[in-house]
Structure formats: C-alpha cells, structure tokens
Amino acid sequence: MPEGPSIVILKEDVQQFTGKKIISVSGDASIEISRLKDKTINSFKTWGKHFLICFDSFTVKIHMLMFGTYRVNERKESTPRLGLVFEDCELNFYTCSVKILEGDINSHYDWSVDVMNESWDPKKAQISLGEMPDKMICDAILDQNIFAGVGNIIKNEVLYRCYIHPESIIGKIPPNEISQIIAECSIYSFEFLYWKKKFELKQHWEVYTKSVCLRCNLPIHKKPTGDRKRNSFFCPNCQELYI
C-alpha cells in the first residue's frame, strides 16, 4: 500500500491538470462518474494515504489500496477505475477506491494529524498516544487518525532509529522516547519522499526487509506484531522492549 510520501509525489505529478476542465469521464468506479464531466479541477490535495481531487462543491477521494496505479497522458490495456480526459491531456487511475465527499473538504479531514501537512501537530499526537497507554507502539504508529500517511515501512524504520521494540507498550515507554518517535514519523516521511524521488528509497532502508542489524551484527527478527498483525522487522538486542 502506498504510504503518504508516494501520494505527495502523485499530487506533484498531476499539477498540470489544476484549473483544467474535464471533457469526458470513463471508468468502472461505483460513483456517478458523469457528475465530473464539464467540471473544472480547483486543486489537488493529500491527506495521509488519500489523494483528493477538489471541485467547487465536492471532492473525489482516491485510495490506492494495495496495488493502485495511475497514468499521466497514457493508458493501460485494462479499464480504468476512473479516467479523466481534458482538452489536450488525460489522467487515469487503476485498481483503487474512488468515492465522492460532499461539501467543503475541510469538513472531512483533520489536517493536523497528517505527518506531511504544514498543519501537522505533534502535541496532538502526544495527547492521542497518552490516551492509549495499553496499546503496542507498532499499532499506534499505523493509526491514521494519529499519524496519517505513515505505513509499515515508515513504522519499522522509525522504531529502529529510536531503538524501540515494536511490541513496547505505550504507557511504559519514557516520555522523551515517545516525543522522539512522534518527531521521527514526520522527519522520516520527508526523507522517504526525497529518496523516492531519486529512485533510491530501498538503498536507505536500515531494518525493513533486512536480515542483519547494522548496529549489532545480529539477526533481525521478522514477526507479525500487534492487533494489526503487520510485519515488524526489529533487533531484539538494541531495540528496547518496554512492557
């Protein structure tokens, strides 16, 4: 599933369509796609893993799910979930979820929980974590209502950077360590964006999919952790387990 930084790249890739009028619409999305015909795109936004196409009175929300893709000025052989044709260009989305959000987009999203948004509020994240002292940190980091945009890669890399075991209980982790985790969720997301644009993201992974700890030269453990059962990669020697 694409993480927040990949959706930011999508937003940057489609800026050429801002202000353009849609002259035809196609696709098998379960929305009234004809509603988009003759509409002009006001702007594109992102919230975590959601890509948002904003019009005057509604917004099209696209979630790329596990295998979603898009094409700018080209098409795949398969039918798009949503295809938008403009006077001299086109934009197509495949294998994704498409929904319509009515009214002002600001009424649907809390921008302060998006780790890549200018309104990101780490203090709010700290309060939210304080309200779930019995949860594992690996689950909390993937909670999109606290860390919108953070996915499993970022989760693993942040916890490794912070020397924290993914199965640590939030209420047992020292406050200064919690603050560091919160900060790194945003910091790493922007580094992820930078590396992905340079096509070198995997080169910078320190623990995700790795077999040996760079710090200890000991085996990395791979294990489904927390209620979400998402794979965690960690070193039990240098990542402290707080329980």
Side-chain angles (χ1 to χ4, degrees):
M1 180 187 298
E3 305 196 24
S6 297
I7 306 304
V8 170
I9 290 174
L10 164 55
K11 182 182 73 171
E12 294 175 353
D13 285 347
V14 301
Q15 285 306 310
Q16 62 182 288
F17 302 105
T18 301
K20 288 188 177 292
K21 182 179 180 180
I22 299 169
I23 60 173
S24 70
V25 190
S26 63
D28 56 14
S30 56
I31 63 168
E32 185 186 349
I33 61 173
S34 60
R35 183 176 178 183
L36 278 61
K37 188 176 184 299
D38 296 326
K39 296 293 191 300
T40 298
I41 295 176
N42 288 343
S43 64
F44 297 100
K45 297 181 184 293
T46 67
W47 181 87
K49 301 175 184 181
H50 297 181
F51 176 66
L52 307 168
I53 307 174
C54 303
F55 298 91
D56 279 340
S57 60
F58 67 95
T59 296
V60 174
K61 179 186 79 172
I62 295 178
H63 194 300
M64 303 304 279
L65 305 175
M66 291 298 293
F67 305 108
T69 58
Y70 65 96
R71 295 289 185 271
V72 175
N73 295 328
E74 62 179 52
R75 302 178 184 181
K76 297 171 69 173
E77 290 186 5
S78 57
T79 301
R81 186 74 75 232
L82 181 66
L84 306 176
V85 176
F86 306 86
E87 185 176 348
D88 55 355
C89 49
E90 63 180 289
L91 176 60
N92 297 291
F93 297 91
Y94 302 87
T95 323
C96 58
S97 166
V98 181
K99 295 183 178 180
I100 288 182
L101 304 177
E102 301 290 352
D104 183 359
I105 189 59
N106 295 305
S107 68
H108 292 275
Y109 289 103
D110 179 356
W111 307 105
S112 68
V113 302
D114 183 335
V115 298
M116 299 191 73
N117 193 280
E118 60 182 11
S119 298
W120 159 245
D121 185 356
K123 291 181 180 178
K124 188 168 187 175
Q126 195 143 24
I127 292 170
S128 295
L129 293 183
E131 294 172 347
M132 49 179 70
D134 299 325
K135 273 195 171 293
M136 288 185 185
I137 190 64
C138 59
D139 282 328
I141 289 181
L142 293 177
D143 188 331
Q144 298 302 290
N145 292 314
I146 305 175
F147 299 102
V150 171
N152 208 41
I153 296 172
I154 296 173
K155 177 203 80 178
N156 279 285
E157 292 295 316
V158 164
L159 291 177
Y160 186 71
R161 279 188 175 188
C162 295
Y163 294 80
I164 301 295
H165 193 290
E167 294 179 307
S168 293
I169 303 302
I170 293 173
K172 302 294 184 180
I173 303 173
N176 63 309
E177 304 281 5
I178 290 289
S179 295
Q180 184 183 4
I181 291 169
I182 292 170
E184 286 293 344
C185 281
S186 181
I187 292 168
Y188 189 85
S189 293
F190 282 100
E191 291 179 358
F192 183 122
L193 175 64
Y194 175 75
W195 293 326
K196 192 168 180 65
K197 284 182 176 180
K198 296 181 69 178
F199 303 99
E200 59 180 42
L201 175 62
K202 292 183 179 180
Q203 299 173 32
H204 295 274
W205 289 347
E206 294 186 332
V207 72
Y208 187 70
T209 72
K210 302 299 181 182
S211 57
V212 177
C213 177
L214 298 175
R215 298 187 289 240
C216 307
N217 199 32
L218 293 172
I220 288 292
H221 289 210
K222 177 185 176 182
K223 176 184 177 183
T225 59
D227 295 333
R228 299 170 185 269
K229 301 301 180 186
R230 298 298 303 278
N231 281 333
S232 286
F233 298 83
F234 58 93
C235 174
N237 184 61
C238 65
Q239 289 180 253
E240 185 78 24
L241 176 60
Y242 293 98
I243 55 175

